[in-house]
Amino acid sequence: SFPSGKKITVVFVIGGPGSGKGTQCAKIVSHFGFTHLSAGDLLREEVKSDTEQGTMIKNLMHEGKLVPSEIIVRLLLKAMLASGNDKFLIDGFPRNEENREAYEKIIKIEPEFVLLIDCSREEMERRILHRNQGRDDDNMETIRRRFEVFQQSTLPVIQHYEKMGKLRRVL
Ligand code: AMP
């Protein structure tokens, strides 16, 4: 885990599928010296390793479902430690209450604030269908499922941070 006494800054970035999380993070990072970690990118990287866990992750992502929190939190911790940095912008996380609880149990660094990239569903859908990143979850059926997950699982986390006064909305 992290050396104690060192102040670690964490900012979460949450937004629906296609809201532009990755694009916004790239801009912020180049200005403020943060390390950008994308939960989705870490998982896609893990899929490339030809392991049983990789195959399990691939199938869940293809179905638009969330990967077990323990897995994503371990990947985040590993990437944070490997970076050597003390400032992190973590995008696509937490996506549900289970993510948040696993993070609080394992990484335990209270986020400074949480950025919510607010975007209409029509705009998000349009962007996903027009981007060509070769992602096999960028198809109509999986997109529908990813929107459902956002509504059902991510909105409660957003409300949690709103109650704590930690939410910052960006349009
Ligand atoms: P993204 O690249 O943010 O659009 O995420 C793509 C997919 O990766 C999601 O639809 C989920 O299947 C999975 N995923 C990304 N972030 C998480 C997370 N924090 N917890 C669980 N699964 C995730």
Side-chain angles (χ1 to χ4, degrees), residues 17-18 21 38-41 43-44 57 60-62 64-69 72 91-96 99 131 135 137 146:
K21 299 186 293 288
S38 151
D41 286 351
L43 291 168
R44 279 183 283 277
I57 294 172
L60 287 168
M61 289 175 86
H62 181 66
K65 294 181 182 162
L66 296 178
V67 170
S69 298
I72 183 60
D91 115 48
F93 187 92
R95 269 176 141 99
N96 63 5
N99 268 191
R131 70 184 178 189
R135 282 176 54 169
D137 59 348
R146 287 159 66 198

Side-chain angles (χ1 to χ4, degrees), residues 48-144:
K48 288 188 200 157
S49 74
D50 207 12
T51 62
E52 219 171 283
Q53 176 165 287
T55 307
M56 193 251 290
I57 294 172
K58 181 188 164 79
N59 291 334
L60 287 168
M61 289 175 86
H62 181 66
E63 292 166 42
K65 294 181 182 162
L66 296 178
V67 170
S69 298
E70 173 99 12
I71 293 179
I72 183 60
V73 170
R74 297 268 167 222
L75 290 173
L76 281 173
L77 179 60
K78 195 166 78 172
M80 288 167 86
L81 292 169
S83 75
N85 201 348
D86 54 5
K87 292 191 278 183
F88 302 95
L89 204 57
I90 302 182
D91 115 48
F93 187 92
R95 269 176 141 99
N96 63 5
E97 288 287 294
E98 189 198 65
N99 268 191
R100 185 173 67 73
E101 283 159 18
Y103 175 91
E104 285 170 6
K105 200 170 99 193
I106 298 170
I107 301 186
K108 303 186 182 100
I109 301 163
E110 183 67 27
E112 290 297 307
F113 56 88
V114 179
L115 278 185
L116 173 63
I117 316 266
D118 230 338
C119 187
S120 74
R121 170 149 177 178
E122 298 80 66
E123 180 62 21
M124 292 194 270
E125 216 162 86
R126 198 184 61 75
R127 286 185 192 160
I128 296 176
L129 293 173
H130 286 85
R131 70 184 178 189
N132 270 313
Q133 299 177 334
R135 282 176 54 169
D136 84 341
D137 59 348
D138 280 354
N139 63 77
M140 250 352 266
E141 191 167 326
T142 308
I143 293 168
R144 194 170 309 122

Side-chain angles (χ1 to χ4, degrees), residues 160-171:
H160 169 88
Y161 288 118
E162 188 155 44
K163 269 194 217 126
M164 290 178 72
K166 294 218 163 188
L167 197 72
R168 309 279 184 274
R169 276 172 208 273
V170 184
L171 284 171

